[in-house]
Amino acid sequence: EPSHPPASFDLVCDTGELYLKSLVRDDKAPIDVLIVDAEDGSAPPASMRTLDFWTNTVLPTLNANPVIGVNVIGSEFDVANLVQTLEMVFSKRSKVLVVSPPSKANVSDRHKLIFVVPSTNDDFDCDDDLTHHELFLARDALRGCVDLPQAWEEQVRIAIRERFVVVDGKLTT
């Protein structure tokens, strides 16, 4: 049987950009799950929304099939640009999903969750690809992580069913 390294979990309270650059520099073990969280304002910062950042700082730190979650706060144009960037970097092996918060969450429409998840096929047909249950984004897994897990589960289903595309700097289905 193959031996697996022990599982580890690092919680980093630093700027994500500096931390990821240190991983590349120090040749650390690859990341399986990357969560980029946001506070109020415009997030992630402009420097963490560039093609250069995702290609040269993030990509070298990830394993072959990472799961990425990005909490985005910004204009529709900001979100659309980040989605395009993530699709350019990860389109060959992953799917980019944009999840809008449920109306019951009482947050502005400037908030979105973007997930980059491994794809199970080459044509990215959502019907044949991962379901929200296989992504562990069903209400039981969301419970304890978000308010209103049933409402968030429905938003994930919508994101899988009606994938956003970027047209003229705007998100559309």
Side-chain angles (χ1 to χ4, degrees), residues 28-106:
K28 300 263 180 150
I31 296 171
D32 298 318
V33 178
L34 175 64
I35 300 170
V36 179
D37 200 5
E39 292 185 28
D40 290 335
S42 186
S47 63
M48 293 176 67
R49 288 185 259 145
T50 66
L51 184 60
D52 179 66
F53 172 75
W54 286 95
T55 303
N56 297 316
T57 302
V58 176
L59 197 57
T61 68
L62 302 174
N63 77 13
N65 294 302
V67 173
I68 301 168
V70 183
N71 184 3
V72 182
I73 304 171
S75 69
E76 183 177 8
F77 181 78
D78 293 336
V79 174
N81 280 341
L82 182 55
V83 168
Q84 278 187 314
T85 297
L86 293 172
E87 286 177 340
M88 283 190 276
V89 175
F90 297 103
S91 66
K92 291 188 176 20
R93 61 180 186 228
S94 298
K95 178 184 295 191
V96 177
L97 299 174
V98 180
V99 179
S100 298
S103 59
K104 295 177 185 177
N106 292 323

Side-chain angles (χ1 to χ4, degrees), residues 4 10 18 29 32-33 42 48 70-71 73-75 85 91 94 100 114 124-125 127 132 136-137 152 166 171 173:
H4 298 287
D10 292 326
L18 291 176
D32 298 318
V33 178
S42 186
M48 293 176 67
V70 183
N71 184 3
I73 304 171
S75 69
T85 297
S91 66
S94 298
S100 298
I114 301 176
F124 303 111
D125 180 1
D127 293 333
H132 67 288
F136 303 104
L137 295 173
W152 277 100
V166 179
L171 291 174
T173 55

Side-chain angles (χ1 to χ4, degrees), residues 33 65-68 94-99 115-120 126 129-139 141-142 153 155-157 159-161 163:
V33 178
N65 294 302
V67 173
I68 301 168
S94 298
K95 178 184 295 191
V96 177
L97 299 174
V98 180
V99 179
F115 293 100
V116 178
V117 294
S119 181
T120 59
C126 288
D129 218 342
L130 294 172
T131 67
H132 67 288
H133 287 286
E134 292 169 311
L135 292 172
F136 303 104
L137 295 173
R139 104 181 49 146
L142 292 169
E153 178 186 35
Q155 293 305 110
V156 170
R157 287 182 194 205
I160 291 171
R161 189 175 58 242
R163 292 206 38 229

